[in-house]
Amino acid sequence: MTQPASPAQRDAPTKAVKSPQDKGSRRRPGLGLRADVRNLSLLGVLAVLIAVGGITKPDQFLATSNLQLVLTQASVIGVVTVGMTFVITSGGIDLSVGAIVALASVWATTLATQEYGFAGILFTAVVVGLACGLVNGLLIAYGGMVPFIATLAMLASARGLALQITDGKTQIVSVNSVLDLGVPDAYVLGVPPLVLVFAAVTVAGWLVLNRTTFGRRTIAVGGNAEAARLAGIDVRRQRLYLYLLSGLCCGIAAFLLVILSGSGQNTNGNLYELDAIAAAIIGGTLLSGGRGTIVGSVLGVLVFTTITNIFALNNLQSDVQQIAKGAIIVAAVLVQRRTVRDADG
């Protein structure tokens, strides 16, 4: 007669598989509280920046047109940051997002593409972004390449191809249905269409990360890839999907940038990778993976965009602006490390 399994034997397999998740669940309350505090802190920083802008340049900074401009500029890099947040949450990195935006924008604004009108430009931008994301994902997930190296290679290749397509020249958009989205007449209750797209991408990103199995798998892969594999997650396929998602966001951002600038240039998206990574980090996404926050990333984007706007209005040099951004990134990483250390303790 078979002896019934002891409680320890019955629980052993469960503990072996679930221990990383159980460990994460024990951390979650403390980290969740800190995430709320961090978001409130970012809102406080944003409020201070708005006050500074209102004091230094009240007539210009607080003008409706300028606030619309800030939100519009934040929309482009914000869409890229949503995709970057997923990648970093999974423990990866994507240094090629700025170059992909450039390549997608110039490919979508060639004369041949513009012959197909609005749909042709949008379709081309999205497909180019997805294609670049697919190459990154295949190299990393199935080729075994380190994300840093693979995306660095994509950065160089995409920039070079964008330069080859344009021959160093600016490609002017002549499709009125695209250009009309950037004029005030197209605003919905005073909100630019680009901001509405950014809001939709943000909401979709938040729902996917926090309310779907795809989001839970992303967090699991970033927290412990081997434990995720033992739990039945196809880690390689998940990583492929994540870089496809990042490429999709770059394609959407490229289309928004075409609307905003009315042109395609090989210099588009310059340093977007740094801005997106920085916004995600100061928002609370863990650089080593395992935790991500869309809300925090969006707040990070708004903070950086507001800083840029204030510096521009006050005619301050861009090098001072970069120093300020660097200091914010360092401070955010130090706070992040202390948060994780306290949670582990």
Side-chain angles (χ1 to χ4, degrees):
M1 184 173 179
T2 304
Q3 295 292 331
S6 66
Q9 291 172 328
R10 289 195 303 267
D11 295 342
T14 302
K15 289 180 179 178
V17 176
K18 291 186 178 180
S19 57
Q21 297 176 1
D22 293 342
K23 185 176 180 180
S25 63
R26 287 196 298 270
R27 294 180 187 178
R28 195 173 295 119
L31 290 176
L33 178 60
R34 288 182 173 87
D36 293 337
V37 173
R38 183 183 295 108
N39 289 341
L40 290 175
S41 299
L42 286 174
L43 284 173
V45 171
L46 191 58
V48 170
L49 289 174
I50 292 174
V52 170
I55 293 173
T56 56
K57 294 288 182 178
D59 295 335
Q60 299 178 44
F61 181 79
L62 296 179
T64 302
S65 58
N66 184 65
L67 296 179
Q68 290 172 335
L69 175 63
V70 171
L71 291 175
T72 301
Q73 292 175 338
S75 298
V76 180
I77 185 62
V79 171
V80 175
T81 303
V82 170
M84 182 69 78
T85 300
F86 277 89
V87 172
I88 296 179
T89 301
S90 71
I93 199 73
D94 192 347
L95 301 179
S96 63
V97 291
I100 294 175
V101 169
L103 178 59
S105 69
V106 300
W107 208 322
T109 54
T110 60
L111 293 177
T113 303
Q114 292 192 51
E115 290 180 359
Y116 294 93
F118 183 98
I121 293 176
L122 174 59
F123 178 79
T124 302
V126 171
V127 169
V128 171
L130 283 172
C132 293
L134 177 62
V135 173
N136 280 336
L138 290 175
L139 290 175
I140 294 167
Y142 294 95
M145 291 187 67
V146 177
F148 182 90
I149 300 299
T151 57
L152 187 62
M154 176 58 73
L155 183 156
S157 301
R159 283 289 179 194
L161 185 54
L163 178 60
Q164 187 178 51
I165 291 174
T166 61
D167 194 25
K169 300 175 183 178
T170 299
Q171 298 179 164
I172 304 300
V173 176
S174 58
V175 180
N176 292 330
S177 56
V178 173
L179 298 175
D180 289 345
L181 292 176
V183 300
D185 290 341
Y187 292 2
V188 179
L189 299 177
V191 180
L194 276 68
V195 178
L196 296 177
V197 173
F198 176 35
V201 171
T202 299
V203 172
W206 185 91
L207 290 174
V208 170
L209 185 60
N210 296 282
R211 294 292 184 267
T212 67
T213 55
F214 182 89
R216 288 192 289 271
R217 288 197 297 265
T218 299
I219 294 172
V221 169
N224 190 322
E226 181 61 20
R229 186 186 66 81
L230 294 174
I233 297 175
D234 190 331
V235 175
R236 292 190 300 178
R237 185 171 61 185
Q238 183 69 17
R239 284 175 174 160
L240 173 61
Y241 288 162
L242 288 165
Y243 282 95
L244 275 171
L245 177 60
S246 179
L248 173 62
C249 288
C250 289
I252 296 173
F255 181 69
L256 298 182
L257 190 56
V258 168
I259 295 173
L260 182 62
S261 64
S263 64
Q265 304 176 56
N266 65 285
T267 56
N268 282 344
N270 188 34
L271 297 180
Y272 272 20
E273 56 277 358
L274 299 183
D275 288 342
I277 293 171
I281 292 174
I282 72 168
T285 297
L286 197 60
L287 190 57
S288 57
R291 187 179 78 235
T293 164
I294 298 296
V295 174
S297 296
V298 170
L299 290 175
V301 169
L302 292 175
V303 166
F304 278 132
T305 307
T306 304
I307 289 175
T308 301
N309 184 259
I310 292 174
F311 274 61
L313 290 178
N314 287 276
N315 297 320
L316 297 176
Q317 297 181 351
S318 59
D319 54 351
V320 180
Q321 178 186 142
Q322 298 302 323
I323 293 173
K325 287 185 177 181
I328 293 174
I329 295 170
V330 171
V333 172
L334 291 176
V335 171
Q336 191 178 87
R337 289 182 60 186
R338 180 170 182 175
T339 298
V340 175
R341 185 170 61 248
D342 291 346
D344 290 338

